[in-house]
Amino acid sequence: MIKIAICDDEEIYLNNYYDMMIRIKKIYGYDIDVLKFYSGDELINTLSKKYINVDIIFLDIIMKGMNGIETAKKIRELNITSEIIFLTNSKEYALEGYDVKAFNYIIKNSDNMEDKIKEAIKYSYEKLEEYFIISNQSGIEKIRLSQIVYIESNKRKIIINTLSGKYETYEKLKDSYQTLKYKGFLKCHRSYIVNQDFIKKIESKDIVTSTGERVPISRSKIEEIKYSFMDYLSG
């Protein structure tokens, strides 16, 4: 199931988006649960208390009180990696989305708005279905790519660091990278692969992840890493 949050302080828009998503659900058979929020504060309060985990957040930019950009920044401060899609009346706010790794923005009341919403739901479905398969003493395990923060090599093993814990398996890091390099992962060091969705900052010697961990960077790779990450952000 895909959990979706919609946040808009105008009830007429909120209900309109909700109706669109329910229509998409019925037509295309997507298993989605749609939750409505009337303010950024209400959304942040719910997410911070871990009442729900959401896959997509549709977020109006112009709202009373905490606006959409401020709300998105607080969402990222909570280390929540949900896809954020801004709803706006103007393209002028699109560039601000880079700071919070917004997936996309949709112009309100545009002719293709429902198609854009459908594309976002379809993308999340495909992303959730992607797994990294490992074999260890516990048997065969499937790890969602969206949960992997980084992978490190330790002698003959690799350690997969995820949001929920660590997994180990006997595998060469270079083989893992061949599987992951076209799925948003970056080899930043001979012993480390990082999920670019979790990169918060690139420093001279380390990548700082949104989970607060530090992943080493090879000195010779720093410019290549910066270029690759900017390319990734620009889509």
Side-chain angles (χ1 to χ4, degrees):
M1 173 183 283
I2 300 290
K3 281 194 174 290
I4 299 171
I6 324 167
C7 185
D8 196 310
D9 62 345
E10 295 187 70
E11 188 169 11
I12 187 168
Y13 284 121
L14 197 61
N15 290 335
N16 187 32
Y17 306 145
Y18 181 85
D19 291 343
M20 280 185 188
M21 291 176 196
I22 297 304
R23 189 159 55 245
I24 290 167
K25 176 180 181 177
K26 290 178 178 177
I27 293 172
Y28 297 98
Y30 289 124
D31 185 12
I32 61 175
D33 183 24
V34 186
L35 305 164
K36 296 190 286 186
F37 296 89
Y38 293 86
S39 70
D41 287 316
E42 182 187 7
L43 176 61
I44 292 298
N45 185 53
T46 301
L47 294 176
S48 64
K49 292 180 179 177
K50 309 297 182 184
Y51 290 152
I52 57 167
N53 292 312
V54 296
D55 301 293
I56 316 174
I57 300 170
F58 289 90
L59 190 56
D60 186 27
I61 289 183
I62 306 299
M63 294 191 291
K64 295 174 184 175
M66 190 189 306
N67 67 34
I69 300 294
E70 292 166 342
T71 303
K73 288 178 179 177
K74 287 189 176 292
I75 288 169
R76 293 304 185 224
E77 286 171 7
L78 292 170
N79 293 328
I80 292 170
T81 59
S82 310
E83 302 291 358
I84 294 175
I85 299 174
F86 285 124
L87 303 168
T88 177
N89 288 314
S90 172
K91 292 181 180 179
E92 68 181 279
Y93 294 103
L95 289 176
E96 296 189 48
Y98 284 111
D99 291 338
V100 291
K101 297 182 184 175
F103 172 62
N104 206 342
Y105 70 95
I106 297 174
I107 302 297
K108 283 183 165 185
N109 297 322
S110 59
D111 292 338
N112 65 347
M113 184 173 185
E114 191 161 329
D115 287 336
K116 291 286 188 182
I117 290 173
K118 184 190 75 176
E119 287 172 13
I121 294 171
K122 181 176 181 287
Y123 173 83
S124 285
Y125 249 91
E126 292 172 349
K127 188 172 181 180
L128 285 178
E129 289 172 355
E130 289 190 288
Y131 292 91
F132 186 58
I133 312 296
I134 65 168
S135 175
N136 55 28
Q137 292 179 338
S138 302
I140 304 295
E141 295 194 64
K142 294 166 64 178
I143 306 170
R144 278 185 178 173
L145 297 190
S146 60
Q147 295 292 300
I148 299 173
V149 181
Y150 67 97
I151 300 173
E152 59 186 296
S153 174
N154 184 7
K155 297 180 181 178
R156 292 186 298 142
K157 289 183 179 181
I158 58 168
I159 302 168
I160 302 127
N161 296 271
T162 76
L163 292 175
S164 58
K166 297 177 184 285
Y167 299 83
E168 293 187 6
T169 186
Y170 286 97
E171 184 172 321
K172 292 179 179 178
L173 191 70
K174 67 177 183 180
D175 293 336
S176 300
Y177 186 55
Q178 287 303 310
T179 303
L180 298 170
K181 66 180 180 179
Y182 298 117
K183 299 181 185 293
F185 286 76
L186 181 66
K187 191 172 184 183
C188 56
H189 186 279
R190 66 181 182 182
S191 301
Y192 289 86
I193 299 168
V194 66
N195 185 343
Q196 294 183 87
D197 282 342
F198 289 97
I199 294 178
K200 182 178 181 180
K201 183 166 59 172
I202 298 175
E203 297 182 347
S204 59
K205 295 182 179 179
D206 297 304
I207 287 170
V208 181
T209 70
S210 57
T211 58
E213 296 162 286
R214 288 183 171 270
V215 181
I217 298 174
S218 294
R219 186 179 301 175
S220 61
K221 283 181 168 285
I222 182 67
E223 293 305 321
E224 177 190 340
I225 288 164
K226 288 180 180 178
Y227 177 83
S228 295
F229 184 54
M230 290 302 297
D231 186 54
Y232 179 74
L233 288 179
S234 62

